[in-house]
Amino acid sequence: MSYYDVDAILTDGEKVPCTFELDVPYLGHLDNSTTGLKPGTALSLPLWLAEMLALASTGDSKAPLILNMPPCLSERVIAALRADPRSVTLREQNVHLYGVGVRMLDLFDERELGNTLRKTFVVRAGEVGLHARKADDGSLGGQGEEFLRGLEEWERSLFRRAHEGVKSAKEWTEKVKKS
Amino acid sequence: MALPLPPGLVPSEVAFLCEMEHVTIVPRQRLESIELLSGATPSLRPPRREDIPLWLALLLKKQRRANILPPPWLHVDSLRDLIHHETVTDPTGWSLPPPPPVRADGRGNARRLNSGGPDATVLSPPFLPSCTSSAPAGALPYHWFEFAEMLLAHASDDIPAASDVRSLLRDLQEVRAAKMRTSIAGLESGVDGVMSLLGVGAMELSESRGFVTGVVEGVRKLGASAEASRREEEEERGGADDDEPSDDDMGI
């Protein structure tokens, strides 16, 4: 993950649900309450902040909050992905689904989740490659459009790369025919 | 800043390299030998067939001073065989590149050209006669796609049944592109295997490089944390059984 990678920065800003373990005064505005945050308050925090607070532990006490799985990686979504990766519109779940997934895999030891995500990515990548090749001649018609709208950011950049290759080869072929 | 060009060769560079391929022509006019950086061309005497670089052949063809003899693999039958091989015989692998050139010696044995001998160089695509009329049929050389495209564009009247050849080439290209897409399915279990790209042409590589490397990169990122924990486990286990005989203990 590069320091200048805009997608990585945006992934950092994705909100994840957390539960506070400690009493935090003067931060009530995060939860629209006049008093401070009580232990057990559920709150959505950006990933960079939540990750730091979840891993921080001051001395003997426990971490200030507990991190939960974001809804885009919930059991329901994962089950749907396991059933048919192609039918899920990943973009609706989260624009940076894989990015968030990678960060969650770093924090939690979820081997099964990792396997499902990898399988999803590979299966959908094949489809992305097909659409990238056929995007110009329109032979797939409208049926591909819905799938392409549901691509999340990693898949979009993959589509762009694949399409770039196909397009430049096609451009060369056209040029040879003309010259 | 990153280089604006993608890694690897772009199609026009691939085509430039392809123009170094030798091709057989039938000259229509005399032409003395030309001293080129890559060596002198043979002096052309019609109707003697000679092998010259593709760029020169195309130049002479445009000036109507030569006819190009298409290589045997560019004939309709050979292409049909190839498509049959790609779709029916071996629907997952790539058809193999042409075998290295062999020459029969006087005793009836065949042996590879420039093999053996300490100063023998191993020749690779632009220096192998893979696009001349002596090339084997039924095997695609490294520069098959761009070579066929250039020949079809500039010398289609020299190719028998050019329109059939053209449509067969399209089929072949599509079949192989679909194969390239399905070949990534092997990555489902993680990046630990090797993808064999033996027999894949230069233009196909340049076309799919971005896609395939993108998929591998994504799978690697998704598996990074699992890989790290696996390594840790391995290290822990490696610390436990230290008495495993290593190379040093074998008394070599």
Side-chain angles (χ1 to χ4, degrees):
Chain A
M1 205 176 292
S2 162
Y3 185 78
Y4 295 105
D5 186 357
V6 179
D7 278 327
I9 297 169
L10 288 174
T11 308
D12 258 348
E14 287 293 333
K15 300 232 167 135
V16 287
C18 321
T19 321
F20 272 86
E21 292 280 284
L22 298 179
D23 195 15
V24 193
Y26 309 119
L27 273 179
H29 60 275
L30 286 178
D31 199 25
N32 283 336
S33 70
T34 46
T35 54
L37 291 174
K38 294 272 172 296
T41 317
L43 203 59
S44 281
L45 289 181
L47 193 50
W48 60 269
L49 181 60
E51 190 180 336
M52 242 159 50
L53 289 177
L55 294 179
S57 53
T58 47
D60 53 335
S61 65
K62 49 194 172 177
L65 53 74
I66 290 180
L67 202 61
N68 295 317
M69 268 293 170
C72 62
L73 295 172
S74 65
E75 215 27 68
R76 200 176 51 82
V77 177
I78 296 304
L81 286 180
R82 216 172 283 146
D84 185 6
R86 268 165 281 211
S87 63
V88 184
T89 44
L90 290 189
R91 209 175 177 77
E92 270 174 23
Q93 306 304 327
N94 193 323
V95 182
H96 302 284
L97 185 108
Y98 293 120
V100 174
V102 167
R103 304 292 293 272
M104 287 294 134
L105 287 174
D106 279 341
L107 294 171
F108 298 98
D109 190 25
E110 291 262 8
R111 203 156 285 190
E112 200 45 47
L113 175 67
N115 285 342
T116 309
L117 278 185
R118 193 175 51 218
K119 209 163 268 177
T120 306
F121 181 71
V122 171
V123 171
R124 287 173 67 98
E127 200 84 346
V128 168
L130 177 70
H131 285 294
R133 193 173 180 85
K134 307 284 178 197
D136 288 337
D137 42 338
S139 52
L140 286 179
Q143 59 161 357
E145 229 168 86
E146 198 161 326
F147 175 77
L148 291 182
R149 258 203 296 272
L151 295 186
E152 67 85 81
E153 272 316 304
W154 280 25
E155 292 168 339
R156 284 223 170 164
S157 71
L158 185 65
F159 179 85
R160 238 171 272 136
R161 291 176 72 155
H163 188 241
E164 204 61 40
V166 174
K167 197 180 74 184
S168 54
K170 206 166 269 174
E171 264 167 17
W172 175 82
T173 319
E174 294 299 317
K175 212 180 76 197
V176 167
K177 270 179 204 151
K178 271 182 210 135
S179 64
Chain B
M1 276 306 286
L3 210 64
L5 282 174
L9 297 180
V10 297
S12 51
E13 290 163 341
V14 171
F16 180 76
L17 289 182
C18 171
E19 290 189 347
M20 277 166 67
E21 289 278 347
H22 278 229
V23 60
T24 310
I25 60 158
V26 182
R28 292 200 209 164
Q29 288 178 4
R30 279 166 165 265
L31 182 71
E32 285 312 310
S33 164
I34 311 169
E35 291 284 341
L36 297 173
L37 278 179
S38 52
T41 61
S43 58
L44 305 178
R45 306 255 175 280
R48 216 180 114 88
R49 294 175 178 189
E50 293 291 355
D51 293 347
I52 59 170
L54 177 63
W55 60 269
L56 185 58
L58 290 180
L59 199 73
L60 293 179
K61 169 72 192 168
K62 277 182 203 159
Q63 296 170 349
R64 297 172 184 285
R65 302 206 302 199
N67 284 82
I68 297 178
L69 278 181
W73 54 264
L74 199 59
H75 284 284
V76 175
D77 286 340
S78 162
L79 288 176
R80 276 216 186 96
D81 282 352
L82 276 166
I83 291 178
H84 181 82
H85 180 90
E86 295 269 350
T87 51
V88 182
T89 319
D90 189 4
T92 49
W94 309 93
S95 58
L96 289 176
V102 290
R103 182 177 286 166
D105 59 11
R107 291 184 296 273
N109 302 317
R111 75 169 48 147
R112 279 169 75 156
L113 274 184
N114 68 12
S115 72
D119 49 12
T121 43
V122 179
L123 295 186
S124 60
F127 307 104
L128 282 174
S130 54
C131 293
T132 62
S133 60
S134 61
L140 292 176
Y142 186 56
H143 283 296
W144 68 275
F145 182 71
E146 50 278 31
F147 181 86
E149 281 296 328
M150 277 195 258
L151 226 54
L152 279 173
H154 298 296
S156 59
D157 50 332
D158 286 342
I159 301 174
S163 62
D164 286 353
V165 168
R166 203 181 297 258
S167 70
L168 283 171
L169 272 175
R170 284 284 155 277
D171 292 350
L172 197 56
Q173 193 199 0
E174 284 301 319
V175 168
R176 288 167 69 97
K179 257 183 204 186
M180 186 63 98
R181 279 197 304 274
T182 47
S183 68
I184 61 157
L187 292 170
E188 262 184 41
S189 51
V191 197
D192 47 14
V194 235
M195 278 168 82
S196 170
L197 291 174
L198 183 67
V200 183
M203 194 59 92
E204 292 169 292
L205 285 180
S206 123
E207 194 177 57
S208 342
R209 182 176 284 116
F211 174 64
V212 174
T213 52
V215 176
V216 172
E217 186 68 9
V219 171
R220 189 188 62 74
K221 275 192 206 159
L222 282 171
S225 67
E227 175 72 16
S229 65
R230 195 182 61 81
R231 280 222 183 123
E232 257 167 40
E233 262 171 37
E234 224 161 61
E235 239 160 57
E236 274 167 26
R237 222 180 309 133
D241 43 38
D242 247 351
D243 44 43
E244 184 106 326
S246 70
D247 281 354
D248 307 319
D249 301 334
M250 287 171 77
I252 302 171

